[in-house]
């Protein structure tokens, strides 16, 4: 990557040159060290058609065991699996989507940019076929399932809502207007409803702790569905995944261990504020942060962050960040990472 640093220099960083420290600390630095002006990425090839197999589970442990088996083998029931994610509809209803990239285009493909809603299809289909673009963008028409908050899943409103406006960036702008003007919050207050706290989180939990975390989630967080997506950092020097942490993570500011399987759990919405509390107390967000840490995970920092500085530095590579900051932004021209992600 080519980076314009806080010191005003343009440097080329990779994993092995004199700027390897910057290369390793740019991920999760949120522009506190510099800005990437050019980047070279390795991409995953994909065929023109994606065939999916949909599996349903009434047992969390069984669903997570299948995720682990697919991550280890790259296949399921003798069929290659090129991509994998899933949805938690409830503690006894988990759906996994096993995707296989194909070359053929001989049969029709599903289209979820119209009246059909993708996440709902997972509960009433056993297989599906999508175009490559349709697969990559299948969640966007309904922002996973969050378009329901704007009425866009109501059949009548959906027909009237222009297709070009059924997309996540439009919903995000609408949400920004609500945050600015609080129209829905005032309507709720007039109706005697309790205030609501924003709870928008993506967390990574080690695979072996994910079922336990999801049981906590189902008991304490009234948001359904939730997204499940396994991930594993590649370590080119390791032939097999390892369940034991290694001393030096590949990306120190987001210290996932190479070769270890994690499951991203994504949940986005608002929850009622407990009696006597305020939205600004972030009670639900604090509870999630505590649960994620108890289960050995991390959360993405685009969300509301309530950690104090010491805890934040411990969880997100504070020492590595400070060293890179001294080298690449010695005059502190760029706002610090902690200050950026904890801004209200």
């Amino acid at each position: 990557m080519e980076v314009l640093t806080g010191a005003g220099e343009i440097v080329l960083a990779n994993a092995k040159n004199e700027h390897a420290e910057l290369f390793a600390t740019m991920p999760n630095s949120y522009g506190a060290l510099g800005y990437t002006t050019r980047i070279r990425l390795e991409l995953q090839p994909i065929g023109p058609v994606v065939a999916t197999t949909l599996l349903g589970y009434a047992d969390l442990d069984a669903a997570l065991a299948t995720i682990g088996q697919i991550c280890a083998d790259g296949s399921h029931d003798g069929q290659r699996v090129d991509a994998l994610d899933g949805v938690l509809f409830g503690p006894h209803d988990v759906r996994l989507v096993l995707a296989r990239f194909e070359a053929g285009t001989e049969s029709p493909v599903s289209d979820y940019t119209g009246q059909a809603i993708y996440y709902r299809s997972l509960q009433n289909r056993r297989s599906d076929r999508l175009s490559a673009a349709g697969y990559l963008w299948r969640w966007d028409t309904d922002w996973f399932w969050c378009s329901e908050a704007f009425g866009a899943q109501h059949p009548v409103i959906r027909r009237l809502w222009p297709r070009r406006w059924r997309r996540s960036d439009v919903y995000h702008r609408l949400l920004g207007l609500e945050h600015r003007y609080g129209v829905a919050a005032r309507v709720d207050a007039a109706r005697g409803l309790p205030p609501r706290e924003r709870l928008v989180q993506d967390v990574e939990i080690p695979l072996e702790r994910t079922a336990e975390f999801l049981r906590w989630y189902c008991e304490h967080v009234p948001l359904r569905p939730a997204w499940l997506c396994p991930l594993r950092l590649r370590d080119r020097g390791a032939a097999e995944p390892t369940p034991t942490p290694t001393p030096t993570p590949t990306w120190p500011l987001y210290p996932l261990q190479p070769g270890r399987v994690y499951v991203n759990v994504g949940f986005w919405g608002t929850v009622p504020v407990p009696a006597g509390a305020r939205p600004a107390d972030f009670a639900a967000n604090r509870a999630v942060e505590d649960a994620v840490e108890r289960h050995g995970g991390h959360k993405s920092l685009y969300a509301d962050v309530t950690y104090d500085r010491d805890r934040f530095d411990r969880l997100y590579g504070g020492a590595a960040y400070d060293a890179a900051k001294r080298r690449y932004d010695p005059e502190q021209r760029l706002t610090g990472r902690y200050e950026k992600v904890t801004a209200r």
Side-chain angles (χ1 to χ4, degrees):
M1 63 180 73
E2 184 181 78
V3 181
L4 172 62
T5 71
E9 301 174 331
I10 296 178
V11 302
L12 185 66
N14 62 44
K16 297 181 179 180
N17 71 0
E18 68 272 23
H19 298 293
E21 177 187 22
L22 182 63
F23 182 82
T25 51
M26 278 295 287
N28 222 43
S29 64
Y30 284 81
L33 304 176
Y35 291 89
T36 302
T37 55
R38 291 191 299 167
I39 190 165
R40 189 176 188 177
L41 298 172
E42 181 179 0
L43 300 179
Q44 165 70 43
I46 185 172
V49 173
V50 179
T52 64
T53 300
L54 310 178
L55 305 179
Y57 293 87
D59 180 76
L60 281 173
D61 293 293
L64 271 297
T66 300
I67 289 176
Q69 176 266 308
I70 293 172
C71 289
D73 301 339
S75 64
H76 180 71
D77 282 349
Q79 295 290 321
R80 186 184 77 250
V81 178
D82 295 315
L84 172 66
D85 65 352
V87 174
L88 171 83
F89 288 96
H92 304 294
D93 188 1
V94 179
R95 308 293 167 131
L96 300 183
V97 183
L98 286 55
R100 185 175 66 256
F101 306 150
E102 295 186 344
T105 59
E106 66 281 357
S107 61
V109 294
S110 299
D111 179 0
Y112 292 100
T113 61
Q115 290 299 108
I117 296 171
Y118 180 71
Y119 82 93
R120 292 182 179 173
S121 75
L122 304 184
Q123 291 183 298
N124 54 42
R125 301 189 66 146
R126 301 191 66 177
S127 64
D128 206 346
R129 289 173 63 83
L130 300 94
S131 67
Y135 177 78
L136 292 174
W137 292 96
R138 68 200 187 281
W139 296 113
D140 195 68
T141 300
D142 289 290
W143 207 6
F144 286 78
W145 32 82
C146 296
S147 68
E148 188 172 20
F150 307 101
Q153 293 182 30
H154 189 284
V156 175
I157 296 176
R158 196 174 186 84
R159 288 188 180 93
L160 298 175
W161 196 301
R163 183 176 296 201
R164 68 183 182 278
W165 291 351
R166 286 189 224 139
R167 37 189 289 167
S168 60
D169 61 333
V170 172
Y171 304 138
H172 193 271
R173 288 196 292 271
L174 292 173
L175 196 60
L177 291 174
E178 169 59 25
H179 290 161
R180 176 177 294 182
Y181 298 109
V183 175
R186 289 199 294 270
V187 171
D188 284 348
R191 295 170 60 194
L193 298 175
R196 301 186 69 85
E197 175 186 348
R198 180 178 63 195
L199 187 62
V200 177
Q201 299 281 352
D202 275 271
V203 305
E204 275 82 46
I205 308 295
L207 173 65
E208 64 273 16
R209 303 291 302 279
T210 302
E212 178 186 349
F213 173 80
L214 290 176
R215 290 188 180 94
W216 176 90
Y217 173 87
C218 289
E219 182 177 350
H220 294 91
V221 181
L223 285 178
R224 306 290 183 276
W227 190 50
L228 306 176
C229 184
L231 63 137
R232 181 175 63 216
L233 288 183
R234 291 187 303 169
D235 181 356
R236 295 183 184 277
E240 297 293 336
T242 173
T244 56
T246 54
T248 51
T250 304
W251 313 111
L253 305 197
Y254 202 77
L256 304 178
Q257 303 300 339
R260 192 177 196 185
V261 177
Y262 297 80
V263 177
N264 175 279
V265 183
F267 42 100
W268 319 289
T270 62
V271 296
V273 173
R278 304 167 303 154
D281 295 333
F282 293 98
N285 284 273
R286 293 178 189 277
V288 166
E289 288 176 346
D290 291 343
V292 169
E293 185 175 358
R294 285 197 309 273
H295 291 88
H298 292 79
K299 58 178 258 182
S300 297
L301 298 178
Y302 79 86
D304 287 311
V305 174
T306 72
Y307 300 122
D308 62 40
R309 185 58 180 264
D310 289 343
R311 188 180 181 191
F312 180 87
D313 286 346
R314 174 171 56 81
L315 292 173
Y316 294 98
Y321 165 78
D322 289 342
K325 187 75 167 173
R326 287 192 297 268
R327 179 177 177 185
Y328 292 101
D329 187 19
E331 297 181 13
Q332 303 287 317
R333 292 176 176 176
L334 301 175
T335 304
R337 181 179 59 149
Y338 179 76
E339 290 72 24
K340 282 191 172 190
V341 302
T342 56
R344 296 288 181 247

